[in-house]
Amino acid sequence: MRDIMAPESGRWRAFTQVFAEVVEAAGYQLVIPPMMEDLGVFSRIGDATDVVTKEMYDFVDKGARHVALRPEQTASVCRAFAQHRPLTPWKAWYSGPNFRYEKPQRGRYRQFDQVGIEVLGADDPYLDVEVIALGWEFYRRLGLEQLTLLLNSLGEPDDRARYVDALRTHFEAAGGDLSDQSRSTLDKNPLRVLDSKRREDAEIIAAAPTIDQFWSDAAAEHFATVQRGLTALQIPFTIDMKLVRGLDYYRRTTFEYAGGTLDSAQNALGGGGRYDGLVEDLGGPPTPGIGFALGVDRTLLACDDEGVFTAPDPAVDVFVVDTTGGGEALLVTAQLRAGGIRADRSYENRSMKAQMKAANRSGAAYAVIIGTDEVEAGTAVVRPLRDDGAQVTVERDSLITDLHSRVQGSNS
Ligand code: HAM
């Protein structure tokens, strides 16, 4: 678990801000679920997944309730829907930390952040397209170029069940040729064997049946419409029939945004899909659902690798230097801040030289210098710090107006 320090922390905030702009422009509203829930909420993610069986931070609280820190937010959002029954289609977005007891490495952490959207109560392939396109648009807004959209359909629940049976038969026939790891995965969930990166499994996986052979007509038509919609929006995609995702609740459309620069195990920057049935599992009415979550930590690493979406400049506009004891700086910084100018100052009544050094280090565009002469004359000296332009003396009464036009000038 990591500390995110400035200026990186500013980038995190800007990231969420851009995401909010993209999804709120499409009618999604913020939901803030709790970070901890009854363990049962998360068990529905799938008792055959590592997320549930190995990675959960769960414990018994002082009231003898078995609770867990959330490993993701889709289950919480569905639980909230079942509890509050908002009008449908309910379009929600969220952001915040999640917890999984994984082996930490670059792009994989035990506490990691996601931003995401979920839509509950609408079964329309064009909604799948909208959701996928919003994630794509967001990555574009960050400036990421090396991005691949992987797309698959797991079919209707019956199709998926028949496919799982066929996979089990196929992998069981391979017997001892399959890695020990995959043989134990096979007992729990044959779909997950498709994720194995072990060399001894590669050929057996390549020869495995593919999901398209099991799609019902309805599932195939749904998937074809999703593809037509993405093509109409000029969003490129790659069909990946082995894309089964790490959580068990998916039905029909699944997708992942893969980055181009991270290790293959960590290159999924985000992913999602349809999960019709999850709300019902959590005690609500039968409700179709679709959404995605994007990993903040990982996406920012990809931004670093591509040299895009750098940290915003955290510097203030003005640094106030007061050689009269500090009382003037108290007043002027308060006035400037109230007037919309970002202002800082130094403390402990230091020398002019020390204060100017602090002003330069602050990254501010201007120093506002006040000594006894200026106090008597009702003025202040404005000195540019980022270039060697001339300093000017300004009436205190017009200081805010003057600085506004300078700051705007230097930012444009
Ligand atoms: P997920 O694929 O488990 O899906 O996670 C989504 C993204 O979260 C991943 O692509 C990755 O970027 C990031 N992520 C996951 N685990 C870690 C980790 N340990 N460290 C850093 N980043 C990580 C879900 O969570 C689903 N709830 C997505 C969804 C929403 N499906 C439908 N709606």
mmCIF file of all heavy atoms in Angstrom, residues 248-287:
data_model
loop_
_atom_site.group_PDB
_atom_site.id
_atom_site.type_symbol
_atom_site.label_atom_id
_atom_site.label_comp_id
_atom_site.label_asym_id
_atom_site.label_seq_id
_atom_site.Cartn_x
_atom_site.Cartn_y
_atom_site.Cartn_z
ATOM 1 N N ASP A 248 -16.609 -13.856 -11.799
ATOM 2 C CA ASP A 248 -17.536 -14.865 -12.332
ATOM 3 C C ASP A 248 -18.894 -14.349 -12.783
ATOM 4 O O ASP A 248 -19.683 -15.103 -13.328
ATOM 5 C CB ASP A 248 -17.778 -15.942 -11.264
ATOM 6 C CG ASP A 248 -16.731 -17.033 -11.352
ATOM 7 O OD1 ASP A 248 -15.907 -16.981 -12.282
ATOM 8 O OD2 ASP A 248 -16.757 -17.927 -10.490
ATOM 9 N N TYR A 249 -19.187 -13.067 -12.552
ATOM 10 C CA TYR A 249 -20.562 -12.636 -12.789
ATOM 11 C C TYR A 249 -20.878 -12.277 -14.234
ATOM 12 O O TYR A 249 -21.995 -11.899 -14.551
ATOM 13 C CB TYR A 249 -20.952 -11.487 -11.853
ATOM 14 C CG TYR A 249 -19.978 -10.325 -11.716
ATOM 15 C CD1 TYR A 249 -19.586 -9.568 -12.813
ATOM 16 C CD2 TYR A 249 -19.492 -9.966 -10.449
ATOM 17 C CE1 TYR A 249 -18.719 -8.489 -12.668
ATOM 18 C CE2 TYR A 249 -18.633 -8.885 -10.290
ATOM 19 C CZ TYR A 249 -18.246 -8.154 -11.399
ATOM 20 O OH TYR A 249 -17.397 -7.088 -11.250
ATOM 21 N N TYR A 250 -19.904 -12.393 -15.147
ATOM 22 C CA TYR A 250 -20.142 -11.895 -16.511
ATOM 23 C C TYR A 250 -21.018 -12.799 -17.364
ATOM 24 O O TYR A 250 -20.946 -14.023 -17.282
ATOM 25 C CB TYR A 250 -18.810 -11.653 -17.226
ATOM 26 C CG TYR A 250 -18.040 -10.510 -16.615
ATOM 27 C CD1 TYR A 250 -16.881 -10.726 -15.896
ATOM 28 C CD2 TYR A 250 -18.515 -9.215 -16.730
ATOM 29 C CE1 TYR A 250 -16.187 -9.670 -15.318
ATOM 30 C CE2 TYR A 250 -17.827 -8.149 -16.145
ATOM 31 C CZ TYR A 250 -16.670 -8.385 -15.448
ATOM 32 O OH TYR A 250 -15.993 -7.355 -14.875
ATOM 33 N N ARG A 251 -21.851 -12.166 -18.172
ATOM 34 C CA ARG A 251 -22.693 -12.809 -19.183
ATOM 35 C C ARG A 251 -22.573 -11.975 -20.449
ATOM 36 O O ARG A 251 -22.500 -10.757 -20.377
ATOM 37 C CB ARG A 251 -24.182 -12.758 -18.799
ATOM 38 C CG ARG A 251 -24.514 -13.223 -17.430
ATOM 39 C CD ARG A 251 -24.821 -14.703 -17.464
ATOM 40 N NE ARG A 251 -25.129 -15.202 -16.137
ATOM 41 C CZ ARG A 251 -24.218 -15.658 -15.285
ATOM 42 N NH1 ARG A 251 -22.950 -15.637 -15.601
ATOM 43 N NH2 ARG A 251 -24.580 -16.138 -14.114
ATOM 44 N N ARG A 252 -22.653 -12.595 -21.583
ATOM 45 C CA ARG A 252 -22.606 -11.881 -22.876
ATOM 46 C C ARG A 252 -21.366 -10.973 -22.995
ATOM 47 O O ARG A 252 -20.257 -11.397 -22.701
ATOM 48 C CB ARG A 252 -23.921 -11.121 -23.104
ATOM 49 C CG ARG A 252 -25.093 -12.092 -23.265
ATOM 50 C CD ARG A 252 -26.321 -11.411 -23.747
ATOM 51 N NE ARG A 252 -27.030 -10.773 -22.632
ATOM 52 C CZ ARG A 252 -28.074 -10.002 -22.770
ATOM 53 N NH1 ARG A 252 -28.536 -9.722 -23.965
ATOM 54 N NH2 ARG A 252 -28.678 -9.505 -21.719
ATOM 55 N N THR A 253 -21.564 -9.671 -23.309
ATOM 56 C CA THR A 253 -20.419 -8.814 -23.655
ATOM 57 C C THR A 253 -19.375 -8.707 -22.532
ATOM 58 O O THR A 253 -19.718 -8.376 -21.391
ATOM 59 C CB THR A 253 -20.928 -7.398 -23.971
ATOM 60 O OG1 THR A 253 -22.063 -7.497 -24.827
ATOM 61 C CG2 THR A 253 -19.843 -6.564 -24.626
ATOM 62 N N THR A 254 -18.116 -8.978 -22.861
ATOM 63 C CA THR A 254 -17.005 -8.657 -21.949
ATOM 64 C C THR A 254 -15.946 -7.901 -22.766
ATOM 65 O O THR A 254 -15.839 -8.095 -23.972
ATOM 66 C CB THR A 254 -16.331 -9.923 -21.358
ATOM 67 O OG1 THR A 254 -15.924 -10.764 -22.426
ATOM 68 C CG2 THR A 254 -17.251 -10.673 -20.427
ATOM 69 N N PHE A 255 -15.196 -7.049 -22.081
ATOM 70 C CA PHE A 255 -14.183 -6.271 -22.810
ATOM 71 C C PHE A 255 -13.064 -5.847 -21.878
ATOM 72 O O PHE A 255 -13.223 -5.832 -20.651
ATOM 73 C CB PHE A 255 -14.819 -5.030 -23.474
ATOM 74 C CG PHE A 255 -15.578 -4.154 -22.513
ATOM 75 C CD1 PHE A 255 -14.978 -3.047 -21.928
ATOM 76 C CD2 PHE A 255 -16.898 -4.426 -22.183
ATOM 77 C CE1 PHE A 255 -15.661 -2.238 -21.034
ATOM 78 C CE2 PHE A 255 -17.597 -3.621 -21.281
ATOM 79 C CZ PHE A 255 -16.978 -2.532 -20.712
ATOM 80 N N GLU A 256 -11.938 -5.531 -22.474
ATOM 81 C CA GLU A 256 -10.793 -5.044 -21.711
ATOM 82 C C GLU A 256 -10.072 -3.990 -22.532
ATOM 83 O O GLU A 256 -10.020 -4.089 -23.766
ATOM 84 C CB GLU A 256 -9.828 -6.209 -21.413
ATOM 85 C CG GLU A 256 -9.600 -6.414 -19.923
ATOM 86 C CD GLU A 256 -8.952 -7.739 -19.587
ATOM 87 O OE1 GLU A 256 -7.842 -7.999 -20.105
ATOM 88 O OE2 GLU A 256 -9.547 -8.504 -18.806
ATOM 89 N N TYR A 257 -9.534 -2.977 -21.860
ATOM 90 C CA TYR A 257 -8.676 -1.997 -22.513
ATOM 91 C C TYR A 257 -7.239 -2.388 -22.155
ATOM 92 O O TYR A 257 -6.866 -2.323 -20.982
ATOM 93 C CB TYR A 257 -8.959 -0.587 -21.996
ATOM 94 C CG TYR A 257 -10.413 -0.181 -22.094
ATOM 95 C CD1 TYR A 257 -11.257 -0.295 -20.988
ATOM 96 C CD2 TYR A 257 -10.952 0.312 -23.282
ATOM 97 C CE1 TYR A 257 -12.596 0.078 -21.060
ATOM 98 C CE2 TYR A 257 -12.285 0.686 -23.366
ATOM 99 C CZ TYR A 257 -13.104 0.565 -22.248
ATOM 100 O OH TYR A 257 -14.416 0.932 -22.328
ATOM 101 N N ALA A 258 -6.474 -2.801 -23.145
ATOM 102 C CA ALA A 258 -5.110 -3.256 -22.879
ATOM 103 C C ALA A 258 -4.128 -2.164 -23.276
ATOM 104 O O ALA A 258 -4.216 -1.605 -24.370
ATOM 105 C CB ALA A 258 -4.825 -4.528 -23.661
ATOM 106 N N GLY A 259 -3.207 -1.870 -22.362
ATOM 107 C CA GLY A 259 -2.180 -0.879 -22.655
ATOM 108 C C GLY A 259 -1.064 -1.513 -23.458
ATOM 109 O O GLY A 259 -0.998 -2.739 -23.581
ATOM 110 N N GLY A 260 -0.164 -0.685 -23.983
ATOM 111 C CA GLY A 260 0.885 -1.227 -24.835
ATOM 112 C C GLY A 260 2.243 -1.267 -24.178
ATOM 113 O O GLY A 260 3.209 -1.734 -24.775
ATOM 114 N N THR A 261 2.360 -0.788 -22.928
ATOM 115 C CA THR A 261 3.706 -0.615 -22.386
ATOM 116 C C THR A 261 3.998 -1.439 -21.136
ATOM 117 O O THR A 261 5.151 -1.608 -20.774
ATOM 118 C CB THR A 261 3.940 0.870 -22.020
ATOM 119 O OG1 THR A 261 2.960 1.269 -21.053
ATOM 120 C CG2 THR A 261 3.830 1.772 -23.235
ATOM 121 N N LEU A 262 2.960 -1.953 -20.464
ATOM 122 C CA LEU A 262 3.215 -2.665 -19.213
ATOM 123 C C LEU A 262 3.445 -4.157 -19.471
ATOM 124 O O LEU A 262 3.087 -4.675 -20.532
ATOM 125 C CB LEU A 262 2.041 -2.483 -18.240
ATOM 126 C CG LEU A 262 2.018 -1.135 -17.506
ATOM 127 C CD1 LEU A 262 1.330 -0.076 -18.336
ATOM 128 C CD2 LEU A 262 1.314 -1.277 -16.173
ATOM 129 N N ASP A 263 4.006 -4.865 -18.469
ATOM 130 C CA ASP A 263 4.159 -6.323 -18.565
ATOM 131 C C ASP A 263 2.814 -6.948 -18.867
ATOM 132 O O ASP A 263 1.790 -6.471 -18.389
ATOM 133 C CB ASP A 263 4.606 -6.882 -17.198
ATOM 134 C CG ASP A 263 6.090 -6.692 -17.002
ATOM 135 O OD1 ASP A 263 6.730 -6.206 -17.940
ATOM 136 O OD2 ASP A 263 6.566 -7.022 -15.896
ATOM 137 N N SER A 264 2.834 -8.070 -19.580
ATOM 138 C CA SER A 264 1.563 -8.633 -20.045
ATOM 139 C C SER A 264 0.605 -8.940 -18.884
ATOM 140 O O SER A 264 -0.604 -8.803 -19.029
ATOM 141 C CB SER A 264 1.807 -9.875 -20.884
ATOM 142 O OG SER A 264 2.365 -10.879 -20.073
ATOM 143 N N ALA A 265 1.152 -9.320 -17.710
ATOM 144 C CA ALA A 265 0.246 -9.648 -16.602
ATOM 145 C C ALA A 265 -0.462 -8.409 -16.050
ATOM 146 O O ALA A 265 -1.475 -8.518 -15.375
ATOM 147 C CB ALA A 265 1.015 -10.345 -15.479
ATOM 148 N N GLN A 266 0.106 -7.236 -16.329
ATOM 149 C CA GLN A 266 -0.479 -6.006 -15.775
ATOM 150 C C GLN A 266 -0.983 -5.065 -16.865
ATOM 151 O O GLN A 266 -1.241 -3.902 -16.596
ATOM 152 C CB GLN A 266 0.545 -5.250 -14.937
ATOM 153 C CG GLN A 266 0.580 -5.663 -13.467
ATOM 154 C CD GLN A 266 1.340 -6.936 -13.281
ATOM 155 O OE1 GLN A 266 0.773 -7.947 -12.920
ATOM 156 N NE2 GLN A 266 2.612 -6.897 -13.561
ATOM 157 N N ASN A 267 -1.089 -5.556 -18.116
ATOM 158 C CA ASN A 267 -1.421 -4.584 -19.163
ATOM 159 C C ASN A 267 -2.913 -4.327 -19.336
ATOM 160 O O ASN A 267 -3.305 -3.532 -20.167
ATOM 161 C CB ASN A 267 -0.726 -4.918 -20.487
ATOM 162 C CG ASN A 267 -1.413 -6.038 -21.219
ATOM 163 O OD1 ASN A 267 -2.255 -6.712 -20.637
ATOM 164 N ND2 ASN A 267 -1.058 -6.240 -22.464
ATOM 165 N N ALA A 268 -3.746 -5.003 -18.521
ATOM 166 C CA ALA A 268 -5.175 -4.676 -18.548
ATOM 167 C C ALA A 268 -5.367 -3.391 -17.756
ATOM 168 O O ALA A 268 -5.282 -3.380 -16.533
ATOM 169 C CB ALA A 268 -6.000 -5.797 -17.940
ATOM 170 N N LEU A 269 -5.574 -2.290 -18.462
ATOM 171 C CA LEU A 269 -5.739 -1.003 -17.777
ATOM 172 C C LEU A 269 -7.139 -0.880 -17.209
ATOM 173 O O LEU A 269 -7.386 -0.145 -16.257
ATOM 174 C CB LEU A 269 -5.480 0.154 -18.755
ATOM 175 C CG LEU A 269 -4.131 0.168 -19.461
ATOM 176 C CD1 LEU A 269 -3.975 1.437 -20.272
ATOM 177 C CD2 LEU A 269 -2.985 0.044 -18.463
ATOM 178 N N GLY A 270 -8.074 -1.577 -17.822
ATOM 179 C CA GLY A 270 -9.453 -1.538 -17.347
ATOM 180 C C GLY A 270 -10.254 -2.615 -18.029
ATOM 181 O O GLY A 270 -9.808 -3.182 -19.031
ATOM 182 N N GLY A 271 -11.421 -2.915 -17.480
ATOM 183 C CA GLY A 271 -12.236 -3.949 -18.113
ATOM 184 C C GLY A 271 -13.631 -3.968 -17.538
ATOM 185 O O GLY A 271 -13.918 -3.321 -16.527
ATOM 186 N N GLY A 272 -14.494 -4.701 -18.221
ATOM 187 C CA GLY A 272 -15.867 -4.787 -17.735
ATOM 188 C C GLY A 272 -16.690 -5.717 -18.578
ATOM 189 O O GLY A 272 -16.155 -6.529 -19.337
ATOM 190 N N GLY A 273 -17.996 -5.587 -18.435
ATOM 191 C CA GLY A 273 -18.894 -6.439 -19.192
ATOM 192 C C GLY A 273 -20.291 -6.423 -18.619
ATOM 193 O O GLY A 273 -20.589 -5.660 -17.696
ATOM 194 N N ARG A 274 -21.141 -7.293 -19.204
ATOM 195 C CA ARG A 274 -22.523 -7.447 -18.721
ATOM 196 C C ARG A 274 -22.561 -8.427 -17.571
ATOM 197 O O ARG A 274 -21.803 -9.394 -17.551
ATOM 198 C CB ARG A 274 -23.402 -8.005 -19.843
ATOM 199 C CG ARG A 274 -24.024 -6.968 -20.651
ATOM 200 C CD ARG A 274 -25.346 -7.354 -21.305
ATOM 201 N NE ARG A 274 -25.830 -6.106 -21.856
ATOM 202 C CZ ARG A 274 -26.621 -5.268 -21.211
ATOM 203 N NH1 ARG A 274 -27.100 -5.558 -20.013
ATOM 204 N NH2 ARG A 274 -26.965 -4.124 -21.766
ATOM 205 N N TYR A 275 -23.426 -8.152 -16.626
ATOM 206 C CA TYR A 275 -23.548 -9.058 -15.476
ATOM 207 C C TYR A 275 -25.012 -9.185 -15.081
ATOM 208 O O TYR A 275 -25.346 -9.107 -13.904
ATOM 209 C CB TYR A 275 -22.673 -8.577 -14.313
ATOM 210 C CG TYR A 275 -22.822 -7.099 -14.021
ATOM 211 C CD1 TYR A 275 -23.884 -6.631 -13.246
ATOM 212 C CD2 TYR A 275 -21.939 -6.173 -14.559
ATOM 213 C CE1 TYR A 275 -24.040 -5.280 -13.011
ATOM 214 C CE2 TYR A 275 -22.089 -4.814 -14.330
ATOM 215 C CZ TYR A 275 -23.140 -4.386 -13.552
ATOM 216 O OH TYR A 275 -23.308 -3.046 -13.319
ATOM 217 N N ASP A 276 -25.894 -9.383 -16.076
ATOM 218 C CA ASP A 276 -27.312 -9.609 -15.804
ATOM 219 C C ASP A 276 -27.395 -10.740 -14.769
ATOM 220 O O ASP A 276 -26.754 -11.762 -14.946
ATOM 221 C CB ASP A 276 -28.033 -10.045 -17.089
ATOM 222 C CG ASP A 276 -27.653 -9.166 -18.285
ATOM 223 O OD1 ASP A 276 -27.231 -8.017 -18.067
ATOM 224 O OD2 ASP A 276 -27.777 -9.644 -19.425
ATOM 225 N N GLY A 277 -28.140 -10.559 -13.720
ATOM 226 C CA GLY A 277 -28.261 -11.633 -12.730
ATOM 227 C C GLY A 277 -27.613 -11.296 -11.398
ATOM 228 O O GLY A 277 -27.984 -11.846 -10.359
ATOM 229 N N LEU A 278 -26.665 -10.370 -11.392
ATOM 230 C CA LEU A 278 -25.958 -10.069 -10.135
ATOM 231 C C LEU A 278 -26.874 -9.374 -9.116
ATOM 232 O O LEU A 278 -26.853 -9.704 -7.923
ATOM 233 C CB LEU A 278 -24.719 -9.209 -10.432
ATOM 234 C CG LEU A 278 -23.810 -8.890 -9.251
ATOM 235 C CD1 LEU A 278 -23.303 -10.150 -8.558
ATOM 236 C CD2 LEU A 278 -22.600 -8.060 -9.709
ATOM 237 N N VAL A 279 -27.714 -8.445 -9.598
ATOM 238 C CA VAL A 279 -28.624 -7.749 -8.684
ATOM 239 C C VAL A 279 -29.571 -8.761 -8.028
ATOM 240 O O VAL A 279 -29.821 -8.722 -6.817
ATOM 241 C CB VAL A 279 -29.433 -6.660 -9.441
ATOM 242 C CG1 VAL A 279 -30.530 -6.092 -8.550
ATOM 243 C CG2 VAL A 279 -28.506 -5.547 -9.913
ATOM 244 N N GLU A 280 -30.054 -9.692 -8.831
ATOM 245 C CA GLU A 280 -30.959 -10.729 -8.318
ATOM 246 C C GLU A 280 -30.252 -11.572 -7.247
ATOM 247 O O GLU A 280 -30.812 -11.857 -6.187
ATOM 248 C CB GLU A 280 -31.381 -11.611 -9.486
ATOM 249 C CG GLU A 280 -32.724 -12.261 -9.319
ATOM 250 C CD GLU A 280 -33.119 -13.020 -10.592
ATOM 251 O OE1 GLU A 280 -32.468 -12.820 -11.645
ATOM 252 O OE2 GLU A 280 -34.067 -13.803 -10.502
ATOM 253 N N ASP A 281 -28.992 -11.911 -7.526
ATOM 254 C CA ASP A 281 -28.201 -12.673 -6.549
ATOM 255 C C ASP A 281 -28.080 -11.931 -5.229
ATOM 256 O O ASP A 281 -27.878 -12.535 -4.177
ATOM 257 C CB ASP A 281 -26.768 -12.875 -7.057
ATOM 258 C CG ASP A 281 -26.675 -14.029 -8.031
ATOM 259 O OD1 ASP A 281 -27.690 -14.737 -8.191
ATOM 260 O OD2 ASP A 281 -25.594 -14.199 -8.620
ATOM 261 N N LEU A 282 -28.143 -10.605 -5.302
ATOM 262 C CA LEU A 282 -27.960 -9.795 -4.093
ATOM 263 C C LEU A 282 -29.303 -9.397 -3.478
ATOM 264 O O LEU A 282 -29.375 -8.471 -2.675
ATOM 265 C CB LEU A 282 -27.130 -8.546 -4.430
ATOM 266 C CG LEU A 282 -25.644 -8.847 -4.675
ATOM 267 C CD1 LEU A 282 -24.966 -7.725 -5.444
ATOM 268 C CD2 LEU A 282 -24.917 -9.079 -3.356
ATOM 269 N N GLY A 283 -30.357 -10.072 -3.888
ATOM 270 C CA GLY A 283 -31.651 -9.862 -3.234
ATOM 271 C C GLY A 283 -32.555 -8.867 -3.933
ATOM 272 O O GLY A 283 -33.615 -8.523 -3.406
ATOM 273 N N GLY A 284 -32.180 -8.382 -5.130
ATOM 274 C CA GLY A 284 -33.019 -7.440 -5.862
ATOM 275 C C GLY A 284 -33.828 -8.148 -6.938
ATOM 276 O O GLY A 284 -33.766 -9.373 -7.069
ATOM 277 N N PRO A 285 -34.596 -7.369 -7.727
ATOM 278 C CA PRO A 285 -35.370 -7.961 -8.823
ATOM 279 C C PRO A 285 -34.437 -8.312 -9.986
ATOM 280 O O PRO A 285 -33.325 -7.786 -10.059
ATOM 281 C CB PRO A 285 -36.308 -6.810 -9.230
ATOM 282 C CG PRO A 285 -35.582 -5.566 -8.831
ATOM 283 C CD PRO A 285 -34.735 -5.909 -7.646
ATOM 284 N N PRO A 286 -34.885 -9.203 -10.895
ATOM 285 C CA PRO A 286 -34.042 -9.492 -12.059
ATOM 286 C C PRO A 286 -33.738 -8.188 -12.792
ATOM 287 O O PRO A 286 -34.656 -7.443 -13.119
ATOM 288 C CB PRO A 286 -34.935 -10.394 -12.937
ATOM 289 C CG PRO A 286 -35.988 -10.907 -12.031
ATOM 290 C CD PRO A 286 -36.173 -9.894 -10.933
ATOM 291 N N THR A 287 -32.469 -7.892 -12.981
ATOM 292 C CA THR A 287 -32.065 -6.586 -13.526
ATOM 293 C C THR A 287 -30.834 -6.752 -14.400
ATOM 294 O O THR A 287 -29.811 -7.249 -13.931
ATOM 295 C CB THR A 287 -31.686 -5.628 -12.365
ATOM 296 O OG1 THR A 287 -32.726 -5.630 -11.391
ATOM 297 C CG2 THR A 287 -31.441 -4.218 -12.861
#
